[in-house]
Amino acid sequence: MSPTAQTTAAARRVVFPFTAIVGQEEMKLALILNVIDPKIGGVMIMGDRGTGKSTTIRALADLLPEIPVVANDPFNSHPSDPDLMSDEIRQKLESGEDIPVIQKKVQMVDLPLGATEDRVCGTIDIEKALSEGVKAFEPGLLAKANRGILYVDEVNLLDDHLVDVLLDSAASGWNTVEREGISIRHPARFVLVGSGNPEEGELRPQLLDRFGMHSEIHTVKEPALRVQIVEQRAEFDQDPLAFVEKYKPQQEELQQRIIKAQELLPSVNMDYDLRVKISEVCSELDVDGLRGDIVTNRAAKALTAFEGRTEVTVDDIRRVIVLALRHRLRKDPLESIDSGYKVEKAFARVFGVELSEDTAQTNGIGYIKTGVR
């Protein structure tokens, strides 16, 4: 490694490479698709303790390419997109002022469990507003997360009201703070990632439904794979810079794939018959509302773009439909069938494909034979 590369790597916190993470493919895919199309609506990751949830999310943020932002702007405003810039920057642009632009790493903001609403949304200094006649706004975590990733660990332990605020901002792309007749809003478009352990309680169905995707992750059972994970972690801890350098080619290749997918996404098409069948699956599963249909359509298109194609196939839908629908099914406490398996069964019936024996035996953990790869 050259001295310059070492200095650059040492200057920022060394993060475990995304491409070095073994297993948990479902979670990795859900995160990548949300980065390609943030309008999918975020990911809820539920799983056992110590399964690499936080490590994977930090690794994803580190992998993403730098973005252009307005220098010294607390909202990471986009230099040309009005939907991603603050009102102040928009006014400066309209009045013809010169806007300094810098390249910046995508932010990953951690939301602490004990955070207050003021800390999350920001606060207005009423005293300064009244005495000086200016809107004195102290930005919160939502401002910092604009155009980045907002990660909430143990989201099922967070106050429901705060979860509502986060989901509203993620859905609308704006955060509005009102106090004593003074109102301030700023862009807050981010990929919302929540994680939790099901043993510590479930999220209310109304809140769970607002997450675009739901990934269930489990502790790896195969001894050989467990040994590989342990050895990789030991190698990283021993010499992080050398480990990161080893995975640099794979990291750069994946980064380029994501950039190309973002560019290709507007050109992706889905046949009308496939869209009808997606809605048929949602209808058969008695999914409330239309979020399930919308997310499945968006996710299938994002996956198609990620694979460098412009036509969505049945196999693309198969790979995302469980992630998009499993958390939207009505819970029956007496039912032992896994919700993912129910989605796969409905998919197989509507699309006229066969459930593989493995899928049937593992109650939903497996693949469906579609004849398309």
Side-chain angles (χ1 to χ4, degrees), residues 11-281:
R12 58 187 174 84
R13 186 176 161 206
V14 182
V15 177
F16 196 88
F18 190 84
T19 49
I21 294 165
V22 178
Q24 311 303 9
E25 299 306 318
E26 183 183 273
M27 169 173 64
K28 284 155 69 178
L29 178 65
L31 289 167
I32 287 171
L33 296 183
N34 269 273
V35 166
I36 293 168
D37 183 3
K39 289 183 180 173
I40 285 172
V43 194
M44 178 67 194
I45 302 163
M46 291 298 270
D48 308 328
R49 293 179 296 275
T51 43
K53 298 188 286 287
S54 303
T55 301
T56 307
I57 294 151
R58 287 189 177 86
L60 177 74
D62 189 64
L63 169 79
L64 298 177
E66 291 187 337
I67 53 172
V69 299
V70 175
N72 303 317
D73 181 74
F75 309 111
N76 300 317
S77 290
H78 194 286
S80 57
D81 186 346
D83 285 337
L84 296 172
M85 65 172 71
S86 65
D87 292 339
E88 188 185 345
I89 299 297
R90 193 185 295 111
Q91 284 161 12
K92 282 184 179 179
L93 272 177
E94 285 168 0
S95 63
E97 280 187 52
D98 190 37
I99 304 289
V101 179
I102 57 166
Q103 293 290 319
K104 190 175 175 181
K105 281 292 288 179
V106 169
Q107 290 267 71
M108 191 199 100
V109 177
D110 258 313
L111 185 94
L113 257 184
T116 61
E117 190 176 343
D118 282 353
R119 178 79 184 95
V120 173
C121 301
T123 55
I124 299 169
D125 188 336
I126 297 295
E127 205 173 309
K128 195 172 182 183
L130 294 174
S131 60
E132 298 177 28
V134 291
K135 287 184 177 180
F137 180 62
E138 185 66 41
L141 294 175
L142 292 182
K144 196 178 174 186
N146 185 39
R147 302 177 66 207
I149 297 170
L150 183 63
Y151 175 47
V152 189
D153 196 9
E154 308 292 0
V155 69
N156 44 342
L157 301 181
L158 200 65
D159 181 66
D160 279 353
H161 172 63
L162 264 185
V163 179
D164 256 336
V165 167
L166 295 177
L167 290 164
D168 282 340
S169 295
S172 67
W174 291 88
N175 171 45
T176 305
V177 181
E178 292 184 345
R179 195 171 159 209
E180 308 292 341
I182 297 171
S183 178
I184 290 176
R185 72 168 201 154
H186 66 78
R189 189 161 293 176
F190 47 82
V191 175
L192 179 62
V193 182
S195 70
N197 183 345
E199 290 174 8
E200 289 161 353
E202 292 283 350
L203 216 58
R204 282 194 293 123
Q206 303 94 301
L207 296 176
L208 199 52
D209 175 65
R210 301 273 293 279
F211 280 90
M213 291 180 148
H214 187 284
S215 172
E216 286 182 6
I217 59 173
H218 305 278
T219 304
V220 174
K221 300 294 181 193
E222 298 83 5
L225 202 52
R226 291 173 78 116
V227 170
Q228 187 187 343
I229 293 166
V230 171
E231 286 176 350
Q232 271 194 328
R233 188 72 220 188
E235 190 185 338
F236 173 76
D237 290 340
Q238 194 172 353
D239 191 345
L241 295 179
F243 189 83
V244 166
E245 192 65 18
K246 179 179 161 184
Y247 281 90
K248 199 174 175 185
Q250 293 101 304
Q251 289 282 99
E252 286 174 353
E253 185 191 342
L254 180 56
Q255 188 184 81
Q256 286 308 308
R257 274 187 76 186
I258 290 171
I259 293 168
K260 283 177 185 167
Q262 288 170 333
E263 292 166 357
L264 188 62
L265 186 62
S267 316
V268 175
N269 297 308
M270 188 188 293
D271 191 71
Y272 177 74
D273 286 346
L274 294 181
R275 298 202 299 271
V276 169
K277 282 181 175 174
I278 287 170
S279 291
E280 210 177 307
V281 172

